[in-house]
Protein backbone atom coordinates (compact mmCIF):
# COMPACT_ATOMS: atom_id res chain seq x y z
CA UNK A 1 0.00 0.00 0.00
CA UNK A 2 2.83 2.33 0.88
CA UNK A 3 4.60 1.77 -2.48
CA UNK A 4 1.42 2.58 -4.49
CA UNK A 5 1.14 5.96 -2.72
CA UNK A 6 4.79 6.67 -3.43
CA UNK A 7 4.42 5.80 -7.13
CA UNK A 8 1.33 8.01 -7.43
CA UNK A 9 3.13 10.93 -5.78
CA UNK A 10 6.08 10.40 -8.07
CA UNK A 11 3.83 10.48 -11.15
CA UNK A 12 2.12 13.66 -9.93
CA UNK A 13 5.50 15.29 -9.22
CA UNK A 14 6.79 14.28 -12.65
CA UNK A 15 3.63 15.62 -14.33
CA UNK A 16 3.86 18.95 -12.49
CA UNK A 17 7.57 19.23 -13.30
CA UNK A 18 6.83 18.52 -16.97
CA UNK A 19 4.07 21.14 -17.07
CA UNK A 20 6.34 23.72 -15.44
CA UNK A 21 9.13 22.98 -17.91
CA UNK A 22 6.70 23.30 -20.85
CA UNK A 23 5.21 26.48 -19.50
CA UNK A 24 8.65 27.97 -18.88
CA UNK A 25 9.65 27.16 -22.45
CA UNK A 26 6.46 28.70 -23.80
CA UNK A 27 7.03 31.86 -21.76
CA UNK A 28 10.58 32.18 -23.08
CA UNK A 29 9.35 31.68 -26.66
CA UNK A 30 6.41 34.12 -26.31
CA UNK A 31 6.64 37.45 -28.15
CA UNK A 32 7.49 40.49 -26.04
CA UNK A 33 4.61 42.35 -24.38
CA UNK A 34 2.76 44.88 -26.53
CA UNK A 35 2.58 48.58 -25.76
CA UNK A 36 -0.61 50.61 -25.67
CA UNK A 37 -1.37 54.23 -26.58
CA UNK A 38 -4.37 55.88 -24.95
CA UNK A 39 -6.37 58.63 -26.69
CA UNK A 40 -9.07 60.57 -24.81
CA UNK A 41 -11.51 63.12 -26.20
CA UNK A 42 -14.21 64.99 -24.29
CA UNK A 43 -16.67 67.41 -25.83
CA UNK A 44 -19.83 69.31 -25.15
CA UNK A 45 -22.17 71.14 -27.48
CA UNK A 46 -25.12 73.45 -27.28
CA UNK A 47 -27.41 73.84 -30.24
CA UNK A 48 -30.70 75.48 -31.20
CA UNK A 49 -32.53 74.88 -34.47
CA UNK A 50 -35.76 76.00 -36.08
CA UNK A 51 -37.50 75.06 -39.32
CA UNK A 52 -40.68 75.52 -41.30
CA UNK A 53 -42.00 73.49 -44.22
CA UNK A 54 -45.02 74.61 -46.19
CA UNK A 55 -47.06 73.87 -49.32
CA UNK A 56 -48.94 76.51 -51.31
CA UNK A 57 -52.76 76.44 -51.43
CA UNK A 58 -52.71 75.09 -55.00
CA UNK A 59 -50.35 72.25 -53.97
CA UNK A 60 -47.66 73.27 -56.44
CA UNK A 61 -45.01 75.09 -54.39
CA UNK A 62 -43.07 73.54 -51.56
CA UNK A 63 -40.99 75.81 -49.33
CA UNK A 64 -38.55 75.01 -46.56
CA UNK A 65 -36.63 77.36 -44.28
CA UNK A 66 -34.32 76.49 -41.41
CA UNK A 67 -31.84 78.23 -39.17
CA UNK A 68 -29.71 77.11 -36.29
CA UNK A 69 -26.90 78.13 -34.02
CA UNK A 70 -24.46 76.18 -31.94
CA UNK A 71 -20.98 75.35 -30.83
CA UNK A 72 -18.51 74.36 -33.53
CA UNK A 73 -15.73 71.76 -33.40
CA UNK A 74 -13.08 74.48 -33.10
CA UNK A 75 -14.73 75.85 -29.94
CA UNK A 76 -16.38 78.83 -31.64
CA UNK A 77 -20.05 79.28 -32.40
CA UNK A 78 -21.79 79.46 -35.77
CA UNK A 79 -25.19 80.25 -37.28
CA UNK A 80 -26.52 78.57 -40.42
CA UNK A 81 -29.44 79.41 -42.68
CA UNK A 82 -31.10 77.43 -45.48
CA UNK A 83 -34.09 78.28 -47.65
CA UNK A 84 -35.52 76.50 -50.67
CA UNK A 85 -38.58 76.74 -52.87
CA UNK A 86 -39.64 74.24 -55.51
CA UNK A 87 -42.68 74.44 -57.78
CA UNK A 88 -43.57 70.92 -58.88
CA UNK A 89 -46.07 72.25 -61.44
CA UNK A 90 -43.47 74.29 -63.36
CA UNK A 91 -40.33 72.43 -62.22
CA UNK A 92 -38.74 75.69 -61.10
CA UNK A 93 -36.93 76.12 -57.86
CA UNK A 94 -34.34 78.08 -55.96
CA UNK A 95 -32.31 77.79 -52.79
CA UNK A 96 -29.91 79.80 -50.68
CA UNK A 97 -27.73 78.67 -47.80
CA UNK A 98 -24.87 79.93 -45.70
CA UNK A 99 -23.04 79.79 -42.41
CA UNK A 100 -21.17 82.41 -40.38
CA UNK A 101 -19.60 82.91 -36.95
CA UNK A 102 -22.04 84.32 -34.43
CA UNK A 103 -21.85 87.86 -33.14
CA UNK A 104 -23.76 86.65 -30.07
CA UNK A 105 -24.61 83.16 -28.88
CA UNK A 106 -25.93 82.34 -25.42
CA UNK A 107 -27.67 79.26 -24.06
CA UNK A 108 -29.09 78.67 -20.62
CA UNK A 109 -31.42 76.03 -19.23
CA UNK A 110 -34.50 76.94 -21.28
CA UNK A 111 -33.45 79.50 -23.87
CA UNK A 112 -30.93 80.39 -26.54
CA UNK A 113 -30.11 83.61 -28.38
CA UNK A 114 -28.05 84.02 -31.56
CA UNK A 115 -27.14 87.00 -33.71
CA UNK A 116 -25.20 86.88 -37.00
CA UNK A 117 -25.08 88.26 -40.52
CA UNK A 118 -24.88 85.24 -42.83
CA UNK A 119 -23.55 85.50 -46.41
CA UNK A 120 -25.64 83.28 -48.69
CA UNK A 121 -24.85 81.11 -51.69
CA UNK A 122 -26.94 83.30 -54.01
CA UNK A 123 -24.75 86.36 -53.31
CA UNK A 124 -27.12 87.99 -50.82
CA UNK A 125 -26.90 88.00 -47.04
CA UNK A 126 -29.37 87.71 -44.18
CA UNK A 127 -29.27 89.27 -40.72
CA UNK A 128 -30.51 86.83 -38.07
CA UNK A 129 -31.40 87.78 -34.50
CA UNK A 130 -33.26 84.78 -33.08
CA UNK A 131 -34.34 83.83 -29.56
CA UNK A 132 -35.45 80.29 -28.70
CA UNK A 133 -37.61 79.85 -25.60
CA UNK A 134 -38.09 76.32 -24.28
CA UNK A 135 -41.75 75.31 -24.00
CA UNK A 136 -41.85 71.60 -23.35
CA UNK A 137 -40.44 69.04 -21.02
CA UNK A 138 -36.66 68.64 -21.11
CA UNK A 139 -36.05 65.14 -22.48
CA UNK A 140 -32.86 63.42 -21.34
CA UNK A 141 -31.09 60.52 -22.91
CA UNK A 142 -27.76 58.88 -23.39
CA UNK A 143 -25.88 55.99 -24.85
CA UNK A 144 -22.66 54.08 -24.34
CA UNK A 145 -20.81 51.77 -26.67
CA UNK A 146 -17.72 49.58 -26.53
CA UNK A 147 -15.82 48.23 -29.51
CA UNK A 148 -13.03 45.69 -29.28
CA UNK A 149 -10.73 44.31 -31.95
CA UNK A 150 -8.52 41.84 -30.01
CA UNK A 151 -4.85 42.68 -30.23
CA UNK A 152 -5.49 46.03 -31.95
CA UNK A 153 -7.78 48.37 -30.00
CA UNK A 154 -10.49 48.90 -27.40
CA UNK A 155 -12.78 51.93 -27.71
CA UNK A 156 -15.45 53.16 -25.30
CA UNK A 157 -17.81 56.07 -26.00
CA UNK A 158 -20.43 57.65 -23.74
CA UNK A 159 -22.80 60.46 -24.75
CA UNK A 160 -25.62 62.09 -22.81
CA UNK A 161 -27.83 64.98 -23.73
CA UNK A 162 -31.06 66.92 -23.50
CA UNK A 163 -33.62 68.16 -26.01
CA UNK A 164 -36.47 70.60 -25.45
CA UNK A 165 -39.17 71.86 -27.82
CA UNK A 166 -39.11 75.65 -28.20
CA UNK A 167 -40.67 78.67 -29.86
CA UNK A 168 -38.63 81.22 -31.82
CA UNK A 169 -38.98 84.99 -31.98
CA UNK A 170 -36.90 87.55 -33.81
CA UNK A 171 -36.14 88.40 -37.42
CA UNK A 172 -37.83 85.21 -38.71
CA UNK A 173 -40.66 83.01 -37.46
CA UNK A 174 -40.69 79.21 -37.55
CA UNK A 175 -43.24 76.47 -36.90
CA UNK A 176 -40.86 73.98 -35.26
CA UNK A 177 -37.90 74.55 -32.97
CA UNK A 178 -35.81 72.91 -30.28
CA UNK A 179 -32.84 73.47 -27.99
CA UNK A 180 -30.37 70.67 -27.29
CA UNK A 181 -27.20 70.07 -25.32
CA UNK A 182 -24.85 67.12 -25.26
CA UNK A 183 -21.70 65.95 -23.51
CA UNK A 184 -19.60 63.04 -24.58
CA UNK A 185 -16.32 61.28 -24.09
CA UNK A 186 -14.37 58.70 -26.05
CA UNK A 187 -11.39 56.69 -24.93
CA UNK A 188 -9.42 54.61 -27.42
CA UNK A 189 -6.64 52.25 -26.37
CA UNK A 190 -4.55 51.32 -29.41
CA UNK A 191 -2.31 48.29 -28.94
CA UNK A 192 0.99 48.46 -30.75
CA UNK A 193 3.76 45.90 -31.03
CA UNK A 194 7.12 46.68 -29.52
Amino acid sequence: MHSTDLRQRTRITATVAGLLASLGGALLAAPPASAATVFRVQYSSEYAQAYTNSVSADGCTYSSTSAGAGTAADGGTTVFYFSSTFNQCTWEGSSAYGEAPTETFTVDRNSAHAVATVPLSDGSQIYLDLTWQGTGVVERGGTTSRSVLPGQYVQRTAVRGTTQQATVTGTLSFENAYISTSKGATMLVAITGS
Side-chain angles (χ1 to χ4, degrees), residues 35-125:
T37 304
V38 178
F39 301 94
R40 289 188 177 113
V41 176
Q42 293 183 340
Y43 64 90
S44 63
S45 70
E46 299 169 319
Y47 187 71
Q49 183 174 359
Y51 61 94
T52 297
N53 297 314
S54 62
V55 179
S56 64
D58 64 4
C60 285
T61 305
Y62 290 82
S63 298
S64 177
T65 304
S66 62
T71 53
D74 65 2
T77 58
T78 61
V79 168
F80 83 87
Y81 173 82
F82 173 80
S83 178
S84 69
T85 301
F86 178 72
N87 185 318
Q88 71 176 6
C89 298
T90 64
W91 286 91
E92 295 176 328
S94 64
S95 67
Y97 57 90
E99 183 176 359
T102 59
E103 298 165 24
T104 301
F105 181 66
T106 57
V107 175
D108 65 24
R109 288 184 154 225
N110 296 311
S111 66
H113 180 230
V115 176
T117 300
V118 181
L120 299 176
S121 59
D122 65 0
S124 66
Q125 63 182 19

Side-chain angles (χ1 to χ4, degrees), residues 49-53 132 165-168 173-178:
Q49 183 174 359
Y51 61 94
T52 297
N53 297 314
W132 287 258
Q165 295 295 315
T167 58
V168 178
S173 61
F174 295 92
E175 292 177 358
N176 305 288
Y178 65 89

Side-chain angles (χ1 to χ4, degrees), residues 27 73 90 101 105 108 129 160 188:
L27 288 174
T90 64
F105 181 66
D108 65 24
D129 184 347
R160 58 188 165 91
L188 174 70

